[in-house]
Amino acid sequence: MFGVSSLSTVSVEEINSLIDTPKMFQFYFHKDRGLNSNMLQRAKAENFDVLALTVDTITGGNRERDLRTGFTIPPKMNIYSIADFLIKPLWTINYLTHKKFDLPHLQEYVDEGTNVFTSIGSYFSTMLDQSMNWDDAEKLCSEWNGHFALKGIMSVEDAKRAVDIGCTGIMVSNHGGRQLDGSRSPFDQLAEIVDAVGDKIDVICEGGIQRGTHILKALSLGAKACSAGRLYLYALAAAGQAGVERALSQIRNEIERDMKLMGCDNVNQLSRKNLRFR
Amino acid sequence: MFGVSSLSTVSVEEINSLIDTPKMFQFYFHKDRGLNSNMLQRAKAENFDVLALTVDTITGGNRERDLRTGFTIPPKMNIYSIADFLIKPLWTINYLTHKKFDLPHLQEYVDEGTNVFTSIGSYFSTMLDQSMNWDDAEKLCSEWNGHFALKGIMSVEDAKRAVDIGCTGIMVSNHGGRQLDGSRSPFDQLAEIVDAVGDKIDVICEGGIQRGTHILKALSLGAKACSAGRLYLYALAAAGQAGVERALSQIRNEIERDMKLMGCDNVNQLSRKNLRFR
Amino acid sequence: MFGVSSLSTVSVEEINSLIDTPKMFQFYFHKDRGLNSNMLQRAKAENFDVLALTVDTITGGNRERDLRTGFTIPPKMNIYSIADFLIKPLWTINYLTHKKFDLPHLQEYVDEGTNVFTSIGSYFSTMLDQSMNWDDAEKLCSEWNGHFALKGIMSVEDAKRAVDIGCTGIMVSNHGGRQLDGSRSPFDQLAEIVDAVGDKIDVICEGGIQRGTHILKALSLGAKACSAGRLYLYALAAAGQAGVERALSQIRNEIERDMKLMGCDNVNQLSRKNLRFR
Amino acid sequence: MFGVSSLSTVSVEEINSLIDTPKMFQFYFHKDRGLNSNMLQRAKAENFDVLALTVDTITGGNRERDLRTGFTIPPKMNIYSIADFLIKPLWTINYLTHKKFDLPHLQEYVDEGTNVFTSIGSYFSTMLDQSMNWDDAEKLCSEWNGHFALKGIMSVEDAKRAVDIGCTGIMVSNHGGRQLDGSRSPFDQLAEIVDAVGDKIDVICEGGIQRGTHILKALSLGAKACSAGRLYLYALAAAGQAGVERALSQIRNEIERDMKLMGCDNVNQLSRKNLRFR
């Protein structure tokens, strides 16, 4: 299943015209309720199968590395980033010659022109609704009226509440480790969350999935599936479509090979007996 | 709350004339009971809110790094410290052109002129009362007759005794790790001390506080507040008042951001559920 | 006891003509049942004492280091492997002047000439029977009708089943750590397997045995014996027969010396009291 | 208390003429019972207070580093040791101009001249009695008829047996970690041995004692005293008598300072409450 977010550079309409496979829309909850409704309706109209409400990004993380490297939109120049651009001239050429990024789900709702954000941080503080609460999530769930997940659950308590408000799934995630400094890894939280709600809703493990073995471990713990971003994005940045296809085929090969080596021929045979913690 | 010590270079009178915010006086117990009384009365006269008796420095620590680098008063010259001064000529200029340090709380009580101490070590062995005991602490507490803390508690046993002698707070601290080699960190001792006396007196966590997350962790364990020295002193040394303001605003921002990300809007919601030990 | 595998470069006949000491034949289970029977009969005819069925290699491992270094048959040239050959010209001379490897147990059963395999991986996928199951193992055990071991057991469950199908031994092994990425070490699994089946069959510990102390530790845990490959192969590659003899004498010396130092004069005195885990 | 061994380069007679403080003789058990008796009688005649029978060196350890560096008697020259001698010409001069080492307790019992041993290893295998057993130890203990210790106990079982044969002390030691590869440190074994026999005999902790804190930790666990070799030998090699005096005064200062900082004024107040294991 492929997912795009409210902040995607490709619209839900374009995606629906391109692929027939299952689709997830990753929803950010904005102050502007008209924008929220608009996005929800567009995703529904384009046959998205799942709506995942992002709940771990009520405010942006303090990404200190980005502050040092000047990795903002537009890029902030400092001695290191200029050196990077000089060493890799194709970056600069691509940056200057390619179509500027659009954010098609948001562009009618921001006043300041196309290239609107000075930084991710200012987007989060200006447009997102930091007072979003469980009632908002419940209403959105009922408005969507289909498969609905909370993305960013890290505790048993919140997982149970997700069941209570009608979710059909949760994504155990800490937003790639870029939000709350010192948070545990989603995998560390997985077993107890599966124990609490695994029989009621789908528990998806996200965060750090880079290999087939990572998926086998998460499934062995009881996750229903895994979700990954950097896994395909790094491949995409390095080698385009061919890179993504190669990354995915390596994942598939590793899962198949290692299941053979574990003596399993069905994912149902994966269990905690495969794992030892230390 | 700002704290100054018996060894401060600025007097309690000057501090009281400069700030209206709460003030703590960090008391060292001297052989000379006249000096002790004099300091206590001056601090009381200047409206200091808390007296904190230092109990982890009955003798100076064996700071082996200082012995190697020649970091004493006055500086001891060796090949490394001379090289340091040559590389950073502003240090030398500042050292030579600025007013010499005074120790205004002590200066009437030492005979040998203004620049009296050859080393911290000799101060501790010459002037401090190494036989200070619980009775002395109890008398000082009753003489102060206000908020009184022991600074340097590291065990449940001593924390309970602090309650018994009438303290209203304790500072869990190992004096920045510079005294007893091999001592545990204050944070390691915090939970059991909070469990023992947290409902009777204020437990302050000191030692290694460098970030907002450190404070959130200590509060989650049950500390009432945190105390930090190097946090603002490094910033002060690097960039003066602006540096301190920046350090403090970073701490505040991190606390606010991370509480949002933890789904808390009040420090009362911080609890041990936020923490996992390994 | 010396063991050779189905993939050995020396035939069971030649080995039997060379040595009188106990011999083990390491059996790979092929799709071609005629090949399986042929190998079994040859090993029996040459008085091999033990048949060990390899059960941890139903498919080849994904040996990523080999993919990078070009370590395949025949060697794949890349900039690093060419550099290696240039630095060590004797390798190249040996490779070109020595008799090409034969695989005498397999050569009548492959069509494509003498130098048949492009890679270990293609051998595994083309010739081995990936559907081998417990029934196949049980039939082979009964057909052999002598000491029979499963090589590659890593769980209590499988160890018990080995007893059930009539094995007289198991080799606790993960094939040198080259098959299933993230598998535990055999030594880590040894205690519980010995506890489950140690009184019914011989439990052999294989994997990472490089020193006498490794053997003493495995015996102390309850292994009946140890098995090692790289231990003598590295010595063989470095210094031929003299190297192997030196490696073996070092092992013997270390076992003898350390048993004296432990106050033991018989391996029966080795027990778990000698070990502490952390 | 100062200890010398059977292998010392200074005789018990000379030591008794030089010092009045308590003396321990570290006894090695030889095949030649006449040599054993002779040493025992000489130590008794010179008023040695304690006889400590070495029980962890029934054979020499396999000191692989020594084999590589050529550190044997006489020194074995290889490229590294020659380089060492060239860099430090005083070593060579000292070695050539100083009186050759004698081994005064052994010299009448070896035939081959003064400079007898090609290596420690050959001494152990040629002269020591590798069949020494508990009966031998018991007889020696009764023959000595005074304070008698086993040096090299590492288990509760052996500590109890030491009590049974009449020892008044044991030295928990693994001979500086140079004998049995992979042995635990004596400190790791100390608590359980103290629990088993600490009320019946003196338990001395030896091995890795380099600082005052090490002694405080061992005493806190229940050791009666500590024993150290390299502590004073490194200082002796570096700076002669002045070095040893400085090393000992640093130890004393650290013990005194840290007891003050721990709030103790008597070693009896040291207890396991001071320690946390992790």
Side-chain angles (χ1 to χ4, degrees):
Chain A
M1 183 184 297
F2 182 68
V4 289
S5 105
S6 306
L7 282 157
S8 70
T9 57
V10 178
S11 69
V12 290
E13 291 78 11
E14 190 175 350
I15 284 166
N16 192 27
S17 75
L18 289 171
I19 63 172
D20 293 328
T21 48
K23 296 177 285 289
M24 183 191 88
F25 187 70
Q26 183 192 345
F27 194 93
Y28 281 85
F29 195 82
H30 295 78
K31 288 179 191 160
D32 184 333
R33 302 300 152 107
L35 168 54
N36 288 342
S37 277
N38 175 275
M39 285 194 301
L40 184 144
Q41 295 307 330
R42 286 171 70 181
K44 194 175 279 188
E46 299 300 327
N47 301 313
F48 272 64
D49 303 89
V50 179
L51 194 80
L53 173 62
T54 310
V55 295
D56 55 9
T57 314
I58 199 97
T59 184
N62 184 30
R63 302 176 187 182
E64 296 178 340
R65 195 171 60 170
D66 292 357
L67 295 175
R68 271 200 300 278
T69 58
F71 179 69
T72 51
I73 303 177
K76 196 168 143 196
M77 292 296 159
N78 63 28
I79 190 161
Y80 300 108
S81 55
I82 289 170
D84 266 359
F85 278 105
L86 288 177
I87 292 166
K88 285 142 184 157
L90 276 180
W91 290 7
T92 316
I93 292 167
N94 281 338
Y95 181 74
L96 297 175
T97 59
H98 275 55
K99 196 157 82 75
K100 281 214 176 341
F101 289 130
D102 280 343
L103 298 175
H105 303 123
L106 303 177
Q107 70 198 122
E108 297 166 29
Y109 291 84
V110 287
D111 310 326
E112 304 100 283
T114 306
N115 199 356
V116 286
F117 304 119
T118 52
S119 74
I120 290 285
S122 81
Y123 164 72
F124 285 129
S125 58
T126 314
M127 296 191 62
L128 293 188
D129 184 354
Q130 297 199 356
S131 67
M132 173 177 68
N133 59 30
W134 285 98
D135 284 343
D136 295 321
E138 188 164 13
K139 274 179 214 145
L140 192 71
C141 175
S142 118
E143 190 178 348
W144 174 256
N145 197 21
H147 278 298
F148 185 88
L150 296 185
K151 179 176 186 296
I153 294 294
M154 285 288 285
S155 73
V156 166
E157 194 179 351
D158 289 347
K160 286 180 175 165
R161 200 143 171 193
V163 175
D164 293 342
I165 66 165
C167 294
T168 57
I170 52 173
M171 300 176 77
V172 181
S173 169
N174 65 3
H175 218 91
R178 292 164 295 153
Q179 290 289 93
L180 179 62
D181 186 31
S183 79
R184 290 182 103 206
S185 88
F187 185 82
D188 288 337
Q189 302 293 92
L190 188 57
E192 58 199 79
I193 290 176
V194 165
D195 288 342
V197 302
D199 57 341
K200 303 190 188 72
I201 55 176
D202 291 342
V203 178
I204 318 292
C205 182
E206 175 180 271
I209 305 291
Q210 303 274 1
R211 302 196 62 116
T213 46
H214 300 161
I215 295 171
L216 290 171
K217 285 172 185 173
L219 297 184
S220 292
L221 264 192
K224 188 82 170 220
C226 289
S227 165
R230 281 176 272 202
L231 166 64
Y232 84 91
L233 286 167
Y234 288 163
L236 181 67
Q241 178 169 348
V244 176
E245 286 170 358
R246 183 161 157 82
L248 292 176
S249 78
Q250 284 181 332
I251 292 276
R252 165 183 284 270
N253 287 344
E254 186 163 311
I255 291 174
E256 287 178 355
R257 180 196 314 271
D258 286 357
M259 282 184 64
K260 287 181 189 172
L261 292 172
M262 293 160 83
C264 295
D265 45 34
N266 189 301
V267 289
N268 293 331
Q269 295 165 11
L270 297 171
S271 77
R272 293 189 189 175
K273 286 196 297 185
N274 300 330
L275 301 173
R276 292 287 170 93
F277 291 89
R278 50 178 171 183
Chain B
M1 183 185 300
F2 182 68
V4 289
S5 106
S6 306
L7 282 158
S8 69
T9 57
V10 178
S11 69
V12 290
E13 290 78 12
E14 189 176 350
I15 284 166
N16 191 28
S17 74
L18 289 170
I19 63 170
D20 293 327
T21 48
K23 296 178 285 292
M24 183 191 89
F25 187 71
Q26 183 192 345
F27 194 93
Y28 281 86
F29 195 82
H30 295 78
K31 288 179 190 158
D32 184 333
R33 303 300 152 109
L35 168 54
N36 289 340
S37 277
N38 175 276
M39 285 195 300
L40 185 144
Q41 295 306 330
R42 286 170 70 182
K44 195 176 276 188
E46 301 299 328
N47 300 313
F48 272 64
D49 303 89
V50 179
L51 193 82
L53 172 62
T54 310
V55 296
D56 55 9
T57 314
I58 200 95
T59 184
N62 184 30
R63 302 176 188 182
E64 295 178 341
R65 194 171 58 169
D66 292 357
L67 295 175
R68 272 201 299 279
T69 58
F71 180 70
T72 51
I73 303 176
K76 194 167 144 198
M77 292 297 160
N78 63 29
I79 189 163
Y80 300 108
S81 55
I82 289 170
D84 265 359
F85 279 105
L86 288 177
I87 292 165
K88 286 140 185 160
L90 276 179
W91 289 7
T92 316
I93 292 167
N94 281 338
Y95 182 74
L96 297 175
T97 59
H98 275 54
K99 197 157 81 73
K100 281 215 173 343
F101 290 129
D102 279 344
L103 298 176
H105 303 122
L106 304 176
Q107 70 197 125
E108 297 169 28
Y109 292 82
V110 288
D111 311 325
E112 304 100 284
T114 307
N115 198 356
V116 286
F117 304 119
T118 52
S119 73
I120 290 285
S122 80
Y123 164 72
F124 286 129
S125 58
T126 313
M127 295 191 63
L128 292 189
D129 184 353
Q130 297 199 358
S131 67
M132 174 178 67
N133 58 29
W134 285 98
D135 284 343
D136 295 321
E138 187 164 14
K139 274 179 214 145
L140 192 71
C141 176
S142 119
E143 190 179 348
W144 174 256
N145 196 21
H147 278 298
F148 186 89
L150 296 184
K151 180 176 185 297
I153 294 294
M154 284 289 285
S155 74
V156 166
E157 194 179 351
D158 289 347
K160 285 180 176 166
R161 199 144 172 193
V163 175
D164 293 342
I165 66 165
C167 294
T168 57
I170 53 173
M171 299 176 76
V172 181
S173 170
N174 65 2
H175 219 92
R178 291 164 297 154
Q179 291 289 93
L180 179 61
D181 187 30
S183 80
R184 289 183 102 207
S185 87
F187 185 83
D188 287 338
Q189 301 294 91
L190 188 57
E192 59 199 77
I193 290 176
V194 165
D195 289 342
V197 301
D199 55 340
K200 302 190 189 72
I201 54 176
D202 291 342
V203 178
I204 319 292
C205 182
E206 176 181 89
I209 305 290
Q210 303 274 0
R211 302 197 61 118
T213 47
H214 300 162
I215 295 171
L216 290 171
K217 286 172 183 172
L219 297 184
S220 292
L221 263 193
K224 188 82 170 221
C226 288
S227 165
R230 281 176 272 201
L231 167 63
Y232 83 90
L233 286 166
Y234 288 164
L236 181 68
Q241 178 170 346
V244 176
E245 285 169 359
R246 183 162 156 81
L248 293 176
S249 78
Q250 284 181 333
I251 291 276
R252 166 183 284 271
N253 287 344
E254 185 162 312
I255 291 174
E256 287 178 356
R257 181 197 313 273
D258 286 357
M259 283 184 64
K260 286 180 190 172
L261 291 172
M262 292 160 84
C264 295
D265 46 34
N266 190 300
V267 289
N268 293 332
Q269 296 165 10
L270 297 171
S271 77
R272 292 189 190 175
K273 286 196 297 186
N274 301 329
L275 301 173
R276 292 286 170 93
F277 290 89
R278 50 177 171 184
Chain C
M1 184 184 299
F2 183 67
V4 288
S5 105
S6 306
L7 282 158
S8 70
T9 56
V10 178
S11 69
V12 290
E13 290 78 11
E14 188 174 352
I15 285 166
N16 192 28
S17 74
L18 290 171
I19 64 172
D20 293 327
T21 47
K23 296 177 284 292
M24 182 191 90
F25 187 70
Q26 182 192 347
F27 195 92
Y28 281 86
F29 195 81
H30 296 78
K31 289 179 191 160
D32 183 333
R33 303 300 151 108
L35 168 53
N36 289 341
S37 278
N38 175 278
M39 285 194 299
L40 185 144
Q41 295 306 332
R42 286 170 71 180
K44 194 176 279 187
E46 299 300 328
N47 299 313
F48 272 64
D49 303 89
V50 180
L51 194 80
L53 173 61
T54 310
V55 295
D56 55 9
T57 315
I58 199 95
T59 184
N62 184 30
R63 301 174 188 185
E64 295 179 340
R65 195 171 58 170
D66 292 356
L67 296 175
R68 272 200 299 279
T69 58
F71 179 71
T72 51
I73 303 177
K76 194 168 145 196
M77 292 295 159
N78 62 28
I79 190 161
Y80 300 108
S81 56
I82 289 169
D84 266 0
F85 278 105
L86 289 177
I87 292 166
K88 285 141 186 158
L90 276 180
W91 289 7
T92 315
I93 292 167
N94 282 338
Y95 182 74
L96 296 176
T97 59
H98 275 56
K99 195 158 81 76
K100 281 216 176 339
F101 290 129
D102 278 345
L103 298 176
H105 303 122
L106 303 177
Q107 70 197 121
E108 297 167 30
Y109 291 84
V110 288
D111 311 324
E112 304 99 285
T114 306
N115 198 358
V116 287
F117 305 118
T118 51
S119 73
I120 290 285
S122 81
Y123 164 72
F124 285 130
S125 58
T126 313
M127 296 191 62
L128 293 189
D129 184 354
Q130 298 199 357
S131 67
M132 174 177 68
N133 58 29
W134 286 97
D135 284 344
D136 295 320
E138 187 165 13
K139 273 179 214 144
L140 192 71
C141 175
S142 120
E143 190 178 348
W144 174 255
N145 197 20
H147 279 298
F148 186 88
L150 296 184
K151 179 175 186 297
I153 295 294
M154 285 288 284
S155 74
V156 166
E157 194 180 351
D158 289 347
K160 286 180 176 166
R161 200 144 170 192
V163 175
D164 293 343
I165 67 164
C167 294
T168 57
I170 52 174
M171 300 177 77
V172 181
S173 170
N174 65 3
H175 218 94
R178 292 164 295 154
Q179 290 290 92
L180 179 60
D181 186 32
S183 81
R184 291 182 102 206
S185 88
F187 185 83
D188 288 337
Q189 303 293 92
L190 188 58
E192 59 199 78
I193 290 176
V194 165
D195 289 342
V197 302
D199 56 341
K200 303 191 187 70
I201 54 177
D202 290 342
V203 179
I204 318 292
C205 181
E206 176 181 271
I209 305 290
Q210 303 275 359
R211 302 195 61 116
T213 48
H214 301 162
I215 294 171
L216 290 171
K217 286 172 184 172
L219 297 183
S220 291
L221 264 193
K224 188 82 171 221
C226 288
S227 165
R230 281 175 272 201
L231 166 64
Y232 84 91
L233 286 167
Y234 288 163
L236 182 67
Q241 178 170 348
V244 176
E245 285 169 359
R246 183 162 157 82
L248 292 176
S249 78
Q250 284 181 332
I251 291 276
R252 166 183 284 272
N253 288 344
E254 185 162 313
I255 291 173
E256 288 178 355
R257 180 196 313 271
D258 286 356
M259 283 184 64
K260 287 180 189 173
L261 291 172
M262 292 160 84
C264 295
D265 46 33
N266 190 301
V267 290
N268 293 331
Q269 295 165 11
L270 297 171
S271 77
R272 293 190 189 174
K273 286 195 297 183
N274 301 330
L275 301 172
R276 293 287 170 94
F277 291 89
R278 51 179 171 182
Chain D
M1 183 184 299
F2 183 68
V4 288
S5 106
S6 306
L7 282 158
S8 69
T9 57
V10 178
S11 69
V12 291
E13 291 79 11
E14 189 176 351
I15 284 166
N16 193 28
S17 75
L18 290 170
I19 63 171
D20 293 327
T21 47
K23 295 178 285 291
M24 182 190 89
F25 187 70
Q26 182 191 345
F27 195 92
Y28 281 85
F29 195 82
H30 295 79
K31 289 179 190 160
D32 184 333
R33 302 301 151 108
L35 168 54
N36 288 341
S37 278
N38 175 276
M39 285 195 300
L40 185 145
Q41 295 307 330
R42 286 170 72 180
K44 195 176 278 187
E46 301 299 327
N47 300 314
F48 273 63
D49 303 89
V50 179
L51 194 80
L53 173 61
T54 310
V55 296
D56 54 10
T57 315
I58 200 95
T59 184
N62 184 30
R63 301 176 188 184
E64 296 177 341
R65 196 171 58 169
D66 292 356
L67 295 176
R68 272 200 299 279
T69 59
F71 180 71
T72 50
I73 302 177
K76 195 168 143 195
M77 292 296 160
N78 63 28
I79 190 160
Y80 301 108
S81 55
I82 289 170
D84 266 359
F85 279 105
L86 289 177
I87 292 167
K88 285 141 185 159
L90 277 179
W91 290 6
T92 315
I93 292 167
N94 281 338
Y95 181 74
L96 297 175
T97 59
H98 275 56
K99 196 157 80 76
K100 282 217 175 339
F101 289 129
D102 279 345
L103 299 176
H105 303 124
L106 303 177
Q107 72 197 121
E108 295 168 29
Y109 291 83
V110 290
D111 311 324
E112 304 101 282
T114 307
N115 198 358
V116 287
F117 304 120
T118 52
S119 73
I120 290 285
S122 80
Y123 164 73
F124 285 130
S125 57
T126 314
M127 295 192 61
L128 292 189
D129 184 353
Q130 296 200 358
S131 67
M132 173 178 68
N133 58 30
W134 285 98
D135 284 344
D136 296 320
E138 188 164 13
K139 273 177 214 146
L140 192 71
C141 176
S142 120
E143 190 178 349
W144 174 256
N145 196 20
H147 279 298
F148 187 88
L150 296 185
K151 179 175 186 297
I153 295 293
M154 285 288 284
S155 73
V156 166
E157 194 179 351
D158 289 347
K160 287 180 174 166
R161 199 144 172 192
V163 175
D164 293 343
I165 66 165
C167 294
T168 57
I170 52 173
M171 299 177 78
V172 181
S173 170
N174 65 4
H175 219 93
R178 291 164 296 154
Q179 290 289 92
L180 179 60
D181 186 32
S183 79
R184 289 182 102 206
S185 87
F187 185 83
D188 288 337
Q189 303 293 92
L190 188 57
E192 60 199 77
I193 290 176
V194 165
D195 288 343
V197 302
D199 56 340
K200 304 191 187 70
I201 54 175
D202 290 342
V203 179
I204 318 291
C205 181
E206 176 181 90
I209 305 289
Q210 303 275 1
R211 303 196 60 116
T213 47
H214 300 163
I215 295 171
L216 290 171
K217 286 172 184 171
L219 297 184
S220 292
L221 263 193
K224 188 81 169 224
C226 288
S227 165
R230 282 176 271 201
L231 166 63
Y232 83 90
L233 287 167
Y234 288 163
L236 182 67
Q241 178 170 347
V244 175
E245 286 170 358
R246 182 162 157 81
L248 292 175
S249 78
Q250 283 181 333
I251 291 276
R252 167 185 283 271
N253 287 344
E254 185 163 311
I255 291 174
E256 288 178 355
R257 180 196 314 273
D258 286 355
M259 283 184 65
K260 287 180 189 173
L261 291 172
M262 293 160 83
C264 295
D265 46 33
N266 190 301
V267 289
N268 293 332
Q269 296 165 9
L270 296 171
S271 77
R272 293 191 189 174
K273 286 196 298 184
N274 300 331
L275 301 173
R276 292 287 170 92
F277 291 89
R278 51 179 170 180

